[in-house]
Amino acid sequence: MRGVVFDGKRAQVVDDLEIRGPGPGEVLVAVSAAGLCHSDLSVLDGTIPFPVPVVLGHEGAGVVEEVGAGVTHVVPGDHVSLSTLANCGACAECDRGRPTMCRKAIGMPRRPFLRDGQPLYQFASNSAFAERTVVKAVQAVRIPEDIPMASAALIGCGVLTGVGAVLNRARVEHGDSVVVIGTGGIGLNVIQGARIAGARPVVAVDSNPAKEGFARRFGAEHFLTSTEGVRDILPTGADHVFECVGRVELVRQAVDLLDRHGQAVLLGVPPVGAEASFLVSSMYLDKSILGCRYGSSRPQRDIALYAEMYREGRLLLDELVTGTYPVEGFDKAVADTEAGRVARAVLTF
C-alpha cells in the first residue's frame, strides 16, 4: 500500500505500508484524495513536533471499505469526508457540544500502520496520505456522492478550521468588519466564512501579490500586501482580525488593528514556545484575543452543513483545488505549496 512516511529527516512515498482492519467503533476508508495543509509542512520543518516514523496527511475524503463492531452511521460504499477529531463522545466537553476540547482527542497518537514489521504513527488521528486509513467512527462523516472527492477532501481541515473560526468561534455578525492576515488555504476559508456571515468590508492581507485573485474570488473586497494600509480602509480598526500565518509579529499587528470590542483570532501555528507581546493598556476597551482549535467545530454537524452549502453554491470548494497530484508527486506538491503557486494542493490515489 502506498503512502507518505516521514522518518524525522525526510518524507518519502513508499509502497510497502500495511494497515490493520477496523476494531470496534472504527472505520476503514479507502482514501481517494487528500489536501496538503501547512500543518503537514509544519511537521516536516519541526514547527509541530510529532513522534516518528509517521504517516502524514489529515485532510481527506474517500469510500468506506469496512466498518467495525457497533458502527451504524456509515456502511461500506459510503462516501465520507474525514475529520481529525477523534473525540470520545462521552466526556464533559463532548457532552457540552465542544468536541475540540475533548482531552482524549489531543496528544494520543495511535499506530495502526506497519512497515517492515515496525509500527508507524498516525498523524492527527487521520493519516490521509495513504491509500487506506483506519479512523474512529466519529471521524467519518457521510457526504453526497455528487461532491468531487478532491473538493470533499478540503472540508475536513481547511473549511472546518477557517469557516468554523468565523461562524463558531468569532461568531461574526452581518455588517462586521473583518481583516484576514494570510490567504493560504485557511485564510481563504476565513474569507469565505466572513462572506457567508455577511461581513463588510472584508480585507485580505498577504505579502504575495499573486494571491489577490484568490482572495477576491472568495469574498475579499480589499487586498493589501501589508497591514499598513488597513487603517486607511478601517480608520477606527476592525471588529475581527484573523491571524492565519503563525508569526508572532503578525499576532501583534492583529491586536493593534482592533477596534473597540474587537477580537483577534489566532489560527496560524508558530513554533512551540514562541511568545507574542501586546500593549496591555490597549485591551481595556473590551478587546479579546481568542485561540481557536479546529474552528471550534462539531464535525458530524458541520461537515454535513458545509457539504450542503457547497451544493447550493454558497461555499466554494472546487476553486480551492488549484493543483492535483498523484501521490508520487508529493515533492512537487510541497514545492508548489511553499511557493504559493496553489491555493491547495491535493494528492490523489
Side-chain angles (χ1 to χ4, degrees), residues 24-162:
E26 294 182 333
V27 177
L28 176 67
V29 177
V31 178
S32 299
L36 175 61
C37 176
H38 273 280
S39 293
D40 299 299
L41 302 183
S42 293
V43 174
L44 299 183
D45 67 20
T47 301
I48 296 178
F50 204 87
V52 293
V54 57
V55 179
L56 294 175
H58 64 284
E59 185 180 69
V63 179
V64 174
E65 201 164 84
E66 185 180 349
V67 300
V71 177
T72 59
H73 76 289
V74 293
V75 298
D78 280 347
H79 287 208
V80 291
S81 177
L82 302 178
S83 89
T84 70
L85 203 59
N87 60 296
C88 71
C91 68
E93 296 295 348
C94 287
D95 193 50
R96 292 187 182 105
R98 299 195 296 236
T100 56
M101 296 295 104
C102 175
R103 284 173 170 80
K104 293 186 177 180
I106 302 173
M108 297 182 180
R110 299 182 297 171
R111 295 196 286 181
F113 298 95
L114 285 175
R115 187 181 183 217
D116 295 329
Q118 179 185 14
L120 284 77
Y121 286 99
Q122 184 174 40
F123 180 53
S125 303
N126 190 306
S127 290
F129 292 170
E131 289 186 88
R132 289 175 180 79
T133 190
V134 169
V135 298
K136 291 183 67 173
V138 71
Q139 296 176 254
V141 184
R142 188 168 60 242
I143 56 173
E145 293 186 10
D146 59 355
I147 300 180
M149 284 294 189
S151 297
L154 305 185
I155 300 176
C157 178
V159 174
L160 280 178
T161 300

Side-chain angles (χ1 to χ4, degrees), residues 38-39 42 45 47-49 243-247 266-272 274:
H38 273 280
S39 293
S42 293
D45 67 20
T47 301
I48 296 178
E243 200 283 333
C244 305
V245 180
R247 288 168 46 189
L266 309 186
L267 295 174
V269 181
V272 174

Side-chain angles (χ1 to χ4, degrees), residues 91-345:
C91 68
E93 296 295 348
C94 287
D95 193 50
R96 292 187 182 105
R98 299 195 296 236
T100 56
M101 296 295 104
C102 175
R103 284 173 170 80
K104 293 186 177 180
I106 302 173
M108 297 182 180
R110 299 182 297 171
R111 295 196 286 181
F113 298 95
L114 285 175
R115 187 181 183 217
D116 295 329
Q118 179 185 14
L120 284 77
Y121 286 99
Q122 184 174 40
F123 180 53
S125 303
N126 190 306
S127 290
F129 292 170
E131 289 186 88
R132 289 175 180 79
T133 190
V134 169
V135 298
K136 291 183 67 173
V138 71
Q139 296 176 254
V141 184
R142 188 168 60 242
I143 56 173
E145 293 186 10
D146 59 355
I147 300 180
M149 284 294 189
S151 297
L154 305 185
I155 300 176
C157 178
V159 174
L160 280 178
T161 300
V163 177
V166 174
L167 302 182
N168 300 328
R169 185 64 169 132
R171 298 186 181 273
V172 173
E173 296 183 354
H174 189 82
D176 284 357
S177 57
V178 168
V179 175
V180 182
I181 303 175
T183 60
I186 298 300
L188 289 177
N189 278 296
V190 172
I191 290 170
Q192 74 168 331
R195 170 179 51 78
I196 291 167
R200 189 154 194 255
V202 179
V203 182
V205 180
D206 198 293
S207 60
N208 185 351
K211 292 186 177 182
E212 180 174 359
F214 289 130
R216 291 189 181 276
R217 179 68 183 89
F218 277 75
E221 297 167 63
H222 304 274
F223 183 89
L224 303 170
T225 54
S226 77
T227 59
E228 291 180 3
V230 171
R231 290 282 181 176
D232 295 330
I233 301 167
L234 299 168
T236 63
D239 295 313
H240 309 273
V241 182
F242 295 83
E243 200 283 333
C244 305
V245 180
R247 288 168 46 189
V248 293
E249 67 271 24
L250 296 179
V251 171
R252 171 59 185 268
Q253 291 174 31
V255 174
D256 289 345
L257 287 172
L258 295 177
D259 197 355
R260 298 181 179 194
H261 206 269
Q263 298 181 137
V265 184
L266 309 186
L267 295 174
V269 181
V272 174
E275 296 183 357
S277 64
F278 59 91
L279 292 174
V280 176
S281 60
S282 72
M283 303 299 294
Y284 290 117
L285 292 172
D286 288 358
K287 298 179 184 181
S288 304
I289 300 173
L290 304 180
C292 183
R293 181 170 190 255
Y294 204 40
S296 301
S297 298
R298 287 181 275 175
Q300 285 289 335
R301 177 200 68 172
D302 291 349
I303 288 177
L305 172 64
Y306 298 151
E308 284 305 313
M309 291 173 68
Y310 164 79
R311 298 174 83 196
E312 295 167 358
R314 298 173 59 203
L315 183 81
L316 304 181
L317 291 177
D318 301 339
E319 294 81 356
L320 278 169
V321 185
T322 51
T324 57
Y325 309 75
V327 67
E328 290 81 7
F330 173 75
D331 289 342
K332 187 175 189 317
V334 170
D336 287 349
T337 298
E338 291 180 329
R341 289 188 286 266
V342 293
R344 204 59 146 191

